[in-house]
Amino acid sequence: MDYDALLGNAVAGLKQEGRYRYFADLERICGKFPRAIFRGPHGEREVTIWCSNDYLGMGQHPKVIAAMHAALDGTGAGSGGTRNISGTTHYHVELERELADLHGKDAALLFNSGYMANEATLSTLARLMPDCVVLSDELNHASMIEGIRNSRCEKQIFRHNDLADLERRLAQLDRRRPKLVAFESVYSMDGDIAPIAEICAMARHYGAMTYLDEVHAVGLYGARGGGIAERDGVLDQVDIIEGTLAKAFGLMGGYVAASGVVIDAIRCHAPGFIFTTSLAPVLAAGALASIRHLKGSSEERDKQQERAAQLKSMLRRRSLPVMDSASHIVPLLVGDPVHCKRMTDQLLDEFSIYVQPINYPTVPRGTERLRLTPGPLHSEDDLRQLVEAIDLLWQRMALDRAA
């Protein structure tokens, strides 16, 4: 059996469809973000990044860098093991307290990534509650889908942000049966926002727990960066909040925050937590500094929202098809994977602008797009250069304009 041929055919199929994933060799320049050094086939050059999830540039903030240097000098590089054996440091303890406070919960639990937090928590909670049914928004992240699948419990998928469909499904379930409604606050590909208050009220009415993924909102919304739930004044109505340290906070890792009992159940039963070496203390220290800074500073959040609004307006003035987005995410519809990849290649080759194409299965076929994430460190000149380059390539490639 020629296994290389079998697997090679699978890869070749992706290339033929224009969905093969190429990784750019980038080296971010501390102190100059969103600039980076791109190493390509024709040498090195400086480029501007327009698709980073380091939404606020906190990965290079002086307070974060200083805290990480101090932790590295004081404790060394690694954590030493799993949390149970030897991998719980005082940095981990402090960070979990800070996260619990951020979301107004009793406790929090760290994971090595947001993906791990979702998969481990959802698979564990649903499994621990006999005959549980999970109601999941149809646009939930792959990590949530995987966690629900691994729980082996019943799953019902409700239409995206559709309160009527969710209520219809909840009303048909036995009120005595354990139920968990899983959804996101900001959906990262379309940039739309869930009606959190209404979903929580409905869940309470039908006796269901709520699980809210805030990864694209923590640090970015609310007076202290607690996410959309904080912005909307409904932190106390959400049972479990999941977040990340790898986007607005600029580091790496994920977490969940909830009541002490819920966190203890996950801590004691989730294999994805129990058997994993803990985050390096240097990462926990950097995240701690980032969260504390953003709890007291709205400057970065305000500037990011300003830049996002400017970019949407500039693109629309040129009749470029910006998708409706109530958040900081700016999706630009291309609608074809080959054109999407060609557009990003030419932006990089001709204009030193780095954007990744977003293709299936991340988004449905026919909705391929550029996902632009303007931040507080992009200048107005950066905005103009980006829009002019996209407009020129749009015309050259004869792509459809917005009506």
Side-chain angles (χ1 to χ4, degrees):
M1 177 68 70
D2 188 345
Y3 292 105
D4 280 355
L6 287 174
L7 298 174
N9 287 339
V11 173
L14 291 177
K15 290 182 177 179
Q16 187 174 0
E17 293 180 44
R19 296 195 294 117
Y20 183 75
R21 295 173 185 260
Y22 295 89
F23 292 170
D25 184 347
L26 295 168
E27 183 176 331
R28 299 186 351 152
I29 306 170
C30 188
K32 291 185 67 177
F33 184 78
R35 309 288 182 256
I37 300 298
F38 169 67
R39 292 182 173 85
H42 306 298
E44 298 182 359
R45 57 196 163 95
E46 191 172 296
V47 300
T48 302
I49 299 176
W50 277 99
C51 56
S52 176
N53 281 342
D54 185 359
Y55 290 130
L56 302 179
M58 291 302 294
Q60 65 164 21
H61 195 281
K63 290 181 182 178
V64 174
I65 300 299
M68 296 180 77
H69 275 299
L72 188 63
D73 293 340
T75 68
S79 66
T82 64
R83 290 289 296 278
N84 182 59
I85 294 175
S86 63
T88 295
T89 72
H90 190 57
Y91 287 112
H92 296 95
V93 174
E94 280 196 289
L95 180 53
E96 286 175 338
R97 288 173 181 163
E98 201 74 34
L99 289 165
D101 173 76
L102 178 66
H103 294 293
K105 302 301 180 189
D106 296 337
L109 192 65
L110 285 170
F111 289 84
N112 287 18
S113 71
Y115 190 106
M116 292 174 66
N118 270 334
E119 193 285 325
T121 300
L122 285 167
S123 63
T124 299
L125 284 180
R127 188 173 66 250
L128 291 178
M129 298 186 290
D131 198 30
C132 180
V133 57
V134 178
L135 297 101
S136 175
D137 188 288
E138 68 177 333
L139 294 188
N140 277 344
H141 190 265
S143 57
M144 300 174 76
I145 295 168
E146 189 72 9
I148 295 165
R149 180 185 295 120
N150 290 342
S151 74
R152 297 184 176 86
C153 69
E154 181 185 338
K155 173 182 70 175
Q156 292 193 25
I157 299 172
F158 62 93
R159 289 192 294 270
H160 178 52
N161 281 348
D162 190 325
L163 294 170
D165 189 41
L166 175 59
E167 182 164 31
R168 178 181 63 82
R169 293 173 182 278
L170 284 167
Q172 292 173 349
L173 296 169
D174 189 328
R175 286 182 177 268
R176 296 166 296 181
R177 186 178 182 187
K179 296 172 282 291
L180 180 65
V181 179
F183 61 110
E184 301 182 33
S185 58
V186 175
Y187 287 84
S188 65
M189 290 301 123
D190 291 351
D192 56 336
I193 295 175
I196 299 174
E198 291 85 349
I199 290 176
C200 288
M202 189 179 296
R204 276 198 314 278
H205 178 74
Y206 289 100
M209 289 182 73
T210 47
Y211 182 99
L212 176 64
D213 178 316
E214 286 256 47
V215 297
H216 291 277
V218 291
L220 301 171
Y221 298 89
R224 302 194 309 157
I228 298 294
E230 184 193 24
R231 186 199 72 175
D232 293 352
V234 294
L235 280 174
D236 60 331
Q237 298 177 36
V238 183
D239 293 305
I240 306 159
I241 292 176
E242 184 267 347
T244 184
L245 307 173
K247 293 182 170 59
F249 296 130
L251 275 299
M252 173 185 173
Y255 64 90
V256 288
S259 71
V261 172
V262 169
I263 294 300
D264 211 26
I266 300 164
R267 185 182 68 85
C268 294
H269 288 91
F273 173 81
I274 294 169
F275 299 108
T276 301
T277 298
S278 65
L279 278 178
V282 65
L283 294 172
L288 190 61
S290 183
I291 293 164
R292 285 175 174 169
H293 173 78
L294 290 173
K295 276 183 174 180
S297 172
S298 293
E299 180 182 351
E300 295 84 0
R301 286 190 283 277
D302 293 344
K303 179 60 74 172
Q304 187 212 28
Q305 290 294 323
E306 179 185 323
R307 289 291 184 247
Q310 286 178 306
L311 181 57
K312 290 174 188 176
S313 176
M314 292 168 72
L315 291 168
R316 287 186 178 120
R317 283 201 298 270
R318 297 183 183 233
S319 298
L320 292 163
V322 183
M323 300 171 66
D324 287 337
S325 167
S327 70
H328 58 281
I329 294 165
V330 184
L332 186 63
L333 182 66
V334 177
D336 176 271
V338 175
H339 287 158
C340 203
K341 179 65 170 63
R342 195 169 68 162
M343 170 75 67
T344 57
D345 285 347
Q346 292 182 16
L347 283 170
L348 183 60
D349 293 343
E350 296 183 35
F351 302 97
S352 293
I353 289 171
Y354 176 68
V355 185
Q356 268 290 358
I358 305 296
N359 292 331
Y360 177 85
T362 307
V363 295
R365 296 180 194 274
T367 68
E368 293 81 6
R369 67 198 66 176
L370 308 185
R371 178 184 176 273
L372 304 169
T373 53
L377 300 177
H378 286 103
S379 68
E380 294 194 358
D381 280 343
D382 291 333
L383 292 174
R384 282 191 289 272
Q385 290 167 14
L386 172 69
V387 172
E388 287 171 4
I390 291 175
D391 189 43
L392 177 65
L393 293 177
W394 215 270
Q395 183 175 354
R396 182 190 299 170
M397 295 170 64
L399 298 177
D400 290 338
R401 300 268 175 171

